[in-house]
Amino acid sequence: MIHPVAGFIVYGVHKDGLKDPMGAPFIDNAIVKQSKRALARAGLKVVEHDLVIATKEEARSALKKMKSDDGIDLVILFSGTWVWAAHLAAAIRDLVASGKAVLIWTHPGSQGWRPVGGLVMHGGLLEIGVPHKFVYGEANDADTILKIASYARAAHLKNFLNMSTMGTFGGRGMGQTCGVADPSQWMRMFGVDIDSRDTTELIRAAEAVSARELSGLQPRLKKLFGTAPEKGIVNERSIRLYLALKKLVEKEKFDFYTIQSFPGLGDDYSATCFAQSMMLEDGHGTSTLGDFNTALTVLLLTKLSKERVYYGDLQHIDKKKKEIKIIGDGACPPSLAGKLGPAGFSEHGIPTEGEAGGLSVKLICKVGEGVLARLGRVSGEFRMVITRATIFEPPKDQIEQRLHECGIPFWPHGFVTAHCDIDRMLDNWTNEYACLGYGMEVYPALIDFCELTGIRPILP
């Protein structure tokens, strides 16, 4: 999981120990310390500014320092007491223009006049059109800290994407219209450069993998699957393709990638199921079929979740039960296998979608709470459908029946209950793929990411 870095600045006019008429300091240092500790417990690294700011000069100096620190994802402006908003506004505007996020946090309490300082800054930034998040809540309130932590994670994701590189191996797969990308739009919205490579380079790299490298992977495969795959040219090519893909992604410094899979590579050398499964297991944001939108969704979920991410076909929806089956064509990180059995080896098994065949993964996803999501485009506008979901395992006496329903029982299955209006979800879904991430904290962070980057969130 990511650990965002937050600059923390206290502001207020009545500072430096100045007391109110009743003899209490306007700025309660105990609350300030308590608030910083709460952020650290939530997984944020807090970079403190040691001076309470109030004047234009103090604001300019403090925010310039935060602006120039590339490691800081967002700045939390903590209302210590009331303030003259005009003294801070220009410096905050300049900070936000650099791409960093700003959050104004107001801790409740009548003494000290913190709400006044918070609301005057919130209103002032709204007036001049400076994007920010306003949070009003106590440091010991879990929902308050979740709001701040989610926004910080979203800011980290936004900053990670800026000046990142997405690789694409090959072109569009299976004639998909709903996964293509406009490189100029990706650069404009996210700061992402899209760089392409032909899949022939992958084949050359796969054939160059040494016998020592192949044998060196065996202990890890036995740990993940309990055994090694049977020896044979088809299985060996699948393993070679994984090792080659890993090498090239690292060599080209791709931050995430998509791969055509077929037609092309899956016919000429090997299906990509196993390679994609292992790259997901390694924590790479990726997708098949040249589907850029799924790749970015997988990247976001991977960075936000404590578990690995599964993407597969949204293969069946039972509207009455709100039950969804996600079935990927042999690609799934093996660590997601649940109590019904460890991950196993299987075959791709569809010659019309890759005559060369290939090794694939079979499993049933483990139980948990999480999120179903996917980025898409409608008439050029980015949208992301996001819903909370519960991942479950069917009863043991129903497993075989449930696996055979789709006609391909040897592919990975995820059984999910979606907590949403199914009709509205389907109306807005923009692809056959569903991306599944584990963890309740993922949901608000994705919504905040949409807010920060200009994506329209759809919350059915």
Side-chain angles (χ1 to χ4, degrees), residues 355-370:
E355 291 183 7
L359 195 63
S360 71
V361 172
K362 62 178 181 179
L363 59 79
I364 295 175
C365 290
K366 61 186 175 183
V367 170
E369 297 295 327

Side-chain angles (χ1 to χ4, degrees), residues 115 127 130 149 159 194 204 245 252 257 287 301 347 350 426 445:
E127 175 73 25
V130 174
N159 291 340
I194 295 175
R204 289 196 299 269
L245 189 55
E252 301 297 340
Y257 73 94
S287 71
L301 291 173
E347 59 181 333
I350 305 293
L426 293 175

